[in-house]
Amino acid sequence: MRLSTEFVAGIIVGGGLGWAVDKWLGTAPFGMIVLLMLGFGAGVMNVVRAAGLMKSRSDDKSGAQN
């Protein structure tokens, strides 16, 4: 559940910031497209980081039990 939340949050924040930049600067739809892609990339990076952290924690726990 956490991984999907991390991913969706990155996309929503990127899209929201893109929409705000487009409204503020009148550059529609370019701000939305660029910041949506950056949000997607940030979401993917957050998922990879969280998955790696979860894996290292599970490895630590399984190593301590052996």
Side-chain angles (χ1 to χ4, degrees):
M1 186 70 165
R2 177 181 175 204
L3 297 179
S4 61
T5 304
E6 295 274 350
F7 183 66
V8 171
I11 294 173
I12 289 173
V13 168
L17 287 175
W19 176 81
V21 166
D22 282 340
K23 286 290 186 183
W24 181 46
L25 298 176
T27 58
F30 301 109
M32 176 82 114
I33 293 169
V34 170
L35 288 176
L36 195 60
M37 285 192 285
L38 287 174
F40 179 80
V44 170
M45 285 180 50
N46 285 339
V47 167
V48 168
R49 187 177 328 143
L53 182 62
M54 291 168 69
K55 181 175 175 6
S56 69
R57 286 183 184 169
S58 73
D59 289 346
D60 290 344
K61 288 179 184 178
S62 65
Q65 293 174 353
N66 290 331

